[in-house]
Amino acid sequence: MDNSSKPEVLAKSEPQVTLKRHIQDGLKVLENLKKGFPNLPIADTEHFWHLLHLCVVFHDLGKSHSDFQRMLLGQQHKWLRQRHELYSIPFIDGLNITDSEKKLIKLVVAGHHKNYDDLFNFIEHSYKQDNENSFMLELDDDSKISFESEFNQHINSDFVQSLLKEFEITLNKIDSKLPRKFILDYKRNPLKLEQESYFDLLLLSGGFKQCDHLSSAFIEKIEFLESSDFDFLNSKRISLQQNGCDFYPHQLEAAEKEGNAILTAPTGSGKTETSILWLQKQIQIFGQGRVFYILPFTASINAMYERLGNDIGNKEKVGLLHGKLTEYLENLVERENPTISQEKRQYLTHKIKEDYRTIITPIKVATPFQLLKNIFGLKGFEKGIFEWVGGYFIFDEIHAYQPDVFAQIVVLIEFAVKYLRVKVFIMTATLPKFMKHELENAIGNHSEILAKNELYEKFTRHKVILQDGLLADNLNMIQADLTNGKKVLVVCNSVEQSQLAYNELKSENKVLLHSNFNAFDRNKKEWELRKEEIRLLVGTQAIEVSLDIDYDVIYTEPAPIDALIQRFGRVNRKREKGICSCYVFKERNKVDSTYIYTNQEVINRTLEVLSWFSVNIQEKELQKAIDYVYPAWNKKDKEEYDFIYDSLSDMLKNQLSPFIYSQKSEDDFYAKFDGIKVLPIINETDFITFLNQYEFVKAESLKVQISKKRFASLINIGSIERKIHTFESKHKDKLINTNYFIIKRKYSKELGLLIKEDDQQSTQDNINEIFL
């Protein structure tokens, strides 16, 4: 029979994509990867790309199985429990390459859908051994067929051979045995970090998944950073020079440095531009690599994402990753397209989110947790680690992490620099010497960039006033500044205190910002803060990091010196207001000392060191102040740091094996996130309405996150209740059950969740009012 009259062999059915086309699409992605990842930590890069080419060509050959094809075409078939990747393996044995090369390709192809534990369990469940050499698959009609017989009867070997010739590949004799032993051997003895071929397999698996997933989504092209993307830096410098100024010396120094660097410079001294100047130089020297701009909090990440997109002038080159991404993107899409239909808005939100999860964007602004999940070995970590290769990590506000997270970041940096040729740029205004020492050990060879003393002198912009008593008892002082027209920042250490202060202070244009708002209200408030007419901002620690805001005066509860320095940095940020006052109250409330900043010695030393600055704060003296408050690790913190560092380092060494996923590692990773989402009772009607309208993101954005400890205490006294809402699917073909937790506490758009105020019967805000 003439082959040309036969239907094309398909790889996918909706839409129909031929196997040949799917392979070609994957190879187009591979060519993009070659351009985007020139710095592989592999001795023979050409050989690596050749092996990856073979992985792409061979991975879906098993889909030529006649019953698989009938299934794709909607015809009667006997494709039951088979796995197409198992039928691809025998063809690899026919390649004229070494056994070690065949092994790498087979490992990638066998594991490209299921991890090896699940794949082997599937084989054991589906195939029963009849004799020493045959494994039988039981069909629905109670008949049995061996893997070898099924391969020979149902795999179109002539088609496969012909297809491979189109890719200039010819095969020797193939062996059609079930690769059970091959899979069992790897399951029992997976490759570990220090073993030969570990990074060949890790990066082949990650690179292959990039090719397969992007081509399956019909994405052939990924974005790269071009020299024109840095034009805004030159434009900014020209503008400065026209006004008799220039970039700061530390910025010019960073623009010439090669390799890893640590920058110490005062807040407001252009650290973001400094990092991009450094990045521009690295790309000139080392070439392409994906960029990760890493920040601690979602508010600062959202702002940085929008800022970099505007600076570069191409928002498609900047993505973002954090745990509240969906709500933020839907809000952004709706804000930029207010008349857009529900279907179009949901489609755009989903598409943008999926693009940001891929390798498409050359810059990603992210929390460290989006990177850390890969070294914890979460499913798909190979793909994430491949994206780091030869890349550039920029850490902003590195001081802001607790000891456990800081230890994880140190391990991440150490791994990325040592094994993946990642270049790192670390920025901070203040960092204790003992923490800096850990970072220096992790990145190895590096340059240290320090802002000049002359600049620190120019940045003398604050005076500290230590005030007796509690902030809450001195709101009249704050009100007087508001009445006199000052733009006032008030920072409390707890949500409850911030709500009380906000309620008492009078201003027509005021904003409250803390962690107990739902996602919709939080996004709206972050947007409002950009308005110049805001005269009062009351907040918690959320305002400390990277929010580009500028106030005339600050009133703050006592906090550790590093936190206070960040808070002060939101006052007179542009140094256009002379010397501005920073009021620090000496007395602490009970909630603060019990739950927030529990180390009283640190607070005492902070208040002591602030008394040194009898006139104005000398920025160049702040490092001395930091080192006085933090002369060495606190014993408890050091024990926690060492435990996490040692545990994670050991896990990397002994457990991070390609295609092997540990439920314990995943549980350990997610255990770090101390939060459960609850729905304030006042929003329940709107929540149900949104579910019934299939507005799932908007429904989710009505929830508020509280700590696990608080959740446990409230559910025990009946203040949190589990409920279920049932509604029809969009196609009216099934019922959907959604579980949620109702919290019987008051909530308002202005104040957020009032955790101590019962709300058994609340009236609803109008749905249109909430979301207009």
Side-chain angles (χ1 to χ4, degrees), residues 195-393:
Q195 289 180 295
E196 187 179 358
S197 299
Y198 173 84
F199 281 99
D200 296 278
L201 180 60
L202 177 64
L203 299 182
L204 276 174
S205 60
F208 168 76
K209 287 181 179 182
Q210 296 288 357
C211 293
D212 191 33
H213 295 174
L214 289 177
S215 61
S216 295
F218 306 104
I219 298 168
E220 298 176 358
K221 180 177 179 292
I222 63 176
E223 297 284 351
F224 302 105
L225 284 176
E226 311 292 348
S227 58
S228 59
D229 293 322
F230 298 93
D231 285 350
F232 75 94
L233 293 169
N234 190 48
S235 299
K236 183 164 187 175
R237 188 175 188 189
I238 290 172
S239 177
L240 286 168
Q241 289 172 336
Q242 287 173 346
N243 290 292
C245 302
D246 200 346
F247 282 143
Y248 295 127
H250 64 268
Q251 294 178 310
L252 297 174
E253 185 179 352
E256 297 301 323
K257 290 294 183 185
E258 177 180 339
N260 305 317
I262 298 177
L263 167 69
T264 304
T267 55
S269 64
K271 289 197 290 293
T272 300
E273 287 88 352
T274 309
S275 68
I276 305 301
L277 285 163
W278 170 86
L279 174 63
Q280 181 183 31
K281 184 66 173 179
Q282 307 318 301
I283 292 178
Q284 289 170 358
I285 297 170
F286 301 106
Q288 289 291 331
R290 307 325 256 179
V291 181
F292 294 86
Y293 197 111
I294 300 152
L295 284 158
F297 301 117
T298 56
S300 49
I301 289 171
N302 295 341
M304 187 61 67
Y305 158 73
E306 295 184 31
R307 175 181 174 179
L308 289 176
N310 291 330
D311 284 346
I312 291 172
N314 185 347
K315 293 184 178 181
E316 292 183 358
K317 292 196 176 186
V318 183
L320 79 165
L321 293 171
H322 59 66
K324 301 171 184 174
L325 180 59
T326 304
E327 293 94 333
Y328 169 76
L329 287 177
E330 176 138 327
N331 182 275
L332 182 67
V333 168
E334 192 165 25
R335 194 170 69 228
E336 294 183 348
N337 307 275
T339 60
I340 200 169
S341 68
Q342 174 185 341
E343 290 77 10
K344 184 70 172 176
R345 169 172 42 78
Q346 291 177 343
Y347 167 77
L348 282 175
T349 300
H350 177 74
K351 183 181 184 304
I352 294 169
K353 181 180 178 181
E354 290 306 304
D355 283 353
Y356 290 169
R357 285 179 169 176
T358 71
I359 208 166
I360 292 175
T361 56
I363 300 178
K364 286 187 173 72
V365 190
T367 65
F369 303 108
Q370 300 299 322
L371 281 72
L372 288 169
K373 65 184 180 182
N374 292 321
I375 62 173
F376 272 82
L378 270 63
K379 186 176 181 181
F381 73 87
E382 307 95 339
K383 184 178 167 185
I385 288 177
F386 181 88
E387 192 174 359
W388 300 349
V389 169
Y392 306 100
F393 289 0

Side-chain angles (χ1 to χ4, degrees), residues 641-653 655:
Y641 174 89
D642 287 342
F643 175 76
I644 296 294
Y645 176 88
D646 292 341
S647 299
L648 187 53
S649 297
D650 183 71
M651 190 171 77
L652 274 174
K653 185 177 178 181
Q655 297 180 40

Side-chain angles (χ1 to χ4, degrees), residues 474-486 488 505 555:
N474 289 274
L475 297 180
N476 59 319
M477 291 177 58
I478 304 172
Q479 189 63 58
D481 272 344
L482 285 167
T483 303
N484 290 330
K486 287 188 177 180
V488 178
L505 295 168
Y555 291 86

